[in-house]
Amino acid sequence: MAAKLADVAARAGVSPATVSRVLNGNYPVAHATAEKVHRAVAELHYVVNGNARALVSARSDLVGVLVHDIADPFFGVIASGIQDSVAEADVLAVVCNTGSSAARELSYLKLLRKQRARAVVLTGGSVDDPDLHGAFVEQLTELTASGAHVVLCGRPPVTDAEGRDVPGLVTVDFDNRDGARRLTAHLTSLGHREIGYVTGPEGRTTSQLRLEGHLMAIRDAGLDEARCPVVSGRFDRASGSTGATELLRRNPDLTAVVAGNDMAGVGVLTELRSRGIEVPRDISVAGFDDLPFSSDTVPALTTVRIPLTEAGRTSGRLALGNESPPPGGLLPVRTELLVRDSTAPPSRGRNSTSGERAPSAKAAE
Amino acid sequence: MAAKLADVAARAGVSPATVSRVLNGNYPVAHATAEKVHRAVAELHYVVNGNARALVSARSDLVGVLVHDIADPFFGVIASGIQDSVAEADVLAVVCNTGSSAARELSYLKLLRKQRARAVVLTGGSVDDPDLHGAFVEQLTELTASGAHVVLCGRPPVTDAEGRDVPGLVTVDFDNRDGARRLTAHLTSLGHREIGYVTGPEGRTTSQLRLEGHLMAIRDAGLDEARCPVVSGRFDRASGSTGATELLRRNPDLTAVVAGNDMAGVGVLTELRSRGIEVPRDISVAGFDDLPFSSDTVPALTTVRIPLTEAGRTSGRLALGNESPPPGGLLPVRTELLVRDSTAPPSRGRNSTSGERAPSAKAAE
DNA sequence: GGTATAGCAGAAAGCGCTTTCTGATCCGGG
DNA sequence: CCCGGATCAGAAAGCGCTTTCTGCTATACC
């Protein structure tokens, strides 16, 4: 149906080899000949068959991007960063929604291997499934063995059954633990001593690291852990709401609630509001990630910014192999505490009307 | 490096042809033989080379998905719907960010053609670029001619230079105009007579259709169009803010503001709030799309719901050719008016509480 | 003027698979 | 007992490209 290389060659009056060389520009071709070929290409609307090319060169112009949920802006932003940087090399990004299921992650990895993807970027915290971990490591090993680059963006290095790092992986690591520690430290330094926490989904490394950071800050400040309840959520709005409810049930005197991410933070905000609790006068609230909408909440959410777009871009470059991998395969990404309007010093006894807050001034990107 | 079909054949003691047949299950193979093959496949961790397969069968297991911006939840949700439905056929979705540029759209189309994508789904309103339109139609024609399915999701049918529909395209059409009409009609029926409007980007069909619907409702209600200013925005928060400012400058007596989409609606909400204008008491606000966050705004945003996930799924099925195309190639998607807390009847005379305007430094993306 | 050397272009092999065509085996029926 | 038709398996061609190897024509140099 479509024109092929041989058709172009015939039309230009040259051999297929010459056409190929003109197209790839990796071999000297006389200018006049190249002209003829270009003309023929244009006339025939010729487009090289990527499959044939990939077959002989043993690698395609595809990079796989595994995300938990592409409808979640957290992943959308990362994906757009990746897309951005790989597009410069005319490489296509294949976005795969795993729905946080290790099984689907595995089957996508296999599919990507089948397409001989040039690289794959796994984003977001890893999902723990002991049964599948062996198979997971195997896929990753197989992938790197066949020359594909594997980049972990926002998830910790993968270790095999013996706890050894799987070789050849590159990690773009978000500083979740320390970011969380600094966030909660901000709250304790404001004078909060009864701080609730809504975690992310169980078994997700991101949830765990952030929780650890939070607990570190709690201990550093010498707070009574019994007064600082932790409930588990799922990194979404709904779990933010129910989490806030549960937290208040456990400790009605809470003066601050930290959510595992911004999404849950919004849920907390909504729930508190619907209960007539004013933020930050009555309770301070904080999130994590600094998603695009986080500065538009009311009040604007205090959070920890992760430069997601930039991290995505870096991951993309790493995936293409354009950027030499960092020493040790680990490239840390700095987080930054963003204090906005949802956090303030605790008021003495909840029901007092402590000062009004100034209308929000926003942080530019 | 990786095992190939011949290796599996050798190990199983059969011919390559037999292995292929076992893997594809399209030809009778004795049970015992199939067993041997399966064992060899497992032992060698064999994964078929999709490129080789695509080369001979002349079509790959890839569908392209063109979006304006994957970080925007509007597209994220659609993309996840598409992904969802094509994944069932072990087909991979290639997400391409066009950044609303017709040139990039074109180059992605070419890239997708090169990969011999099985189908491509173009989402979101089309971008108007007269210079590139011819080339655009050509790519689409070439694509359908080579047997690929082309689905337009949320954009109107494409017409060629003579205004004729390009054949073979399937359109999943959002009912933007009528949705917008009903939304503004809701406002007029509430008693609003001075309604401002913030459009989407110029030259985008979605913007245009929604604006048309709005104006229809304005006329239907017999309002004075001079009192109903329209300012242009870009479907993002920042333009919602600036749009609201400009609208109030043009008509300080506005009792309602309609934004072209939810994103801009949030911007409007934020801006009004920072000016001390209370929603919906002083001014009603409405958006369009019903994105996941729209019910979490304060107050919850009245909007028009488009079943984006479902539309994405349908587009995916259409792209795979699993669903027979609708008559006329046009499949309408119903929208639904969602009245929430941001709209209410206008109050008599606003200046009762028109607050001080706080300086707010905004960042555009 | 003859040979060495660029500088280009073509022939052909082969990437890993699918599929048609051909062939071998086995069964039942005449 | 032999033949025809199932039933299954192999041989081989070829999908559209890249790339090595080979070869040809100029040019340069002695």
Side-chain angles (χ1 to χ4, degrees), chain A residues 22-54:
Chain A
V22 170
L23 262 26
N24 292 295
N26 50 7
Y27 195 86
V29 173
H31 193 69
T33 315
E35 269 305 287
K36 280 192 296 185
V37 170
H38 281 131
R39 209 162 19 239
V41 165
E43 287 167 2
L44 266 49
H45 304 302
Y46 173 73
V47 175
V48 65
N49 185 324
N51 293 124
R53 178 181 281 179

Side-chain angles (χ1 to χ4, degrees), chain A residues 217-261:
Chain A
I218 294 286
R219 278 183 219 117
D220 288 350
L223 304 194
D224 178 2
E225 293 188 38
R227 311 286 302 159
C228 294
V230 172
V231 302
S232 75
R234 290 177 321 272
F235 277 161
D236 61 6
R237 273 174 295 267
S239 70
S241 300
T242 56
T245 306
E246 173 65 11
L247 245 21
L248 285 172
R249 200 186 58 68
R250 297 231 207 134
N251 179 357
D253 298 329
L254 242 35
T255 63
V257 173
V258 178
N261 72 350

Side-chain angles (χ1 to χ4, degrees), chain B residues 139-153:
Chain B
Q139 289 299 325
L140 257 29
T141 308
E142 213 93 32
L143 233 17
T144 53
S146 68
H149 295 226
V150 176
V151 180
L152 306 171
C153 179

Side-chain angles (χ1 to χ4, degrees), chain B residues 154-173:
Chain B
R155 63 163 69 189
V158 177
T159 55
D160 64 15
E162 276 82 46
R164 283 176 313 226
D165 275 15
V166 176
L169 308 190
V170 180
T171 306
V172 174
D173 193 35

Side-chain angles (χ1 to χ4, degrees), chain A residues 183-198 214 218 223 227-231 243-244 247-248 251-259 268-269 272 277-287 302 342-347 350:
Chain A
L183 175 61
T184 298
H186 155 67
L187 255 12
T188 60
S189 76
L190 243 29
H192 292 275
R193 310 201 54 81
E194 316 209 2
I195 306 175
Y197 190 86
V198 184
H214 166 75
I218 294 286
L223 304 194
R227 311 286 302 159
C228 294
V230 172
V231 302
L247 245 21
L248 285 172
N251 179 357
D253 298 329
L254 242 35
T255 63
V257 173
V258 178
V268 170
L269 243 26
L272 295 185
I277 296 172
E278 197 174 310
V279 177
R281 195 196 60 190
D282 303 331
I283 294 189
S284 286
V285 175
T302 288
S342 65
T343 49
S347 56
R350 171 90 54 58

Side-chain angles (χ1 to χ4, degrees), chain A residues 175-185 210 213 288 304 335-337:
Chain A
D175 191 11
N176 285 306
R177 184 158 30 197
D178 197 55
R181 192 189 55 68
R182 290 192 327 254
L183 175 61
T184 298
R210 293 182 182 177
F288 204 114
V304 175
T335 57
E336 179 193 353
L337 176 63

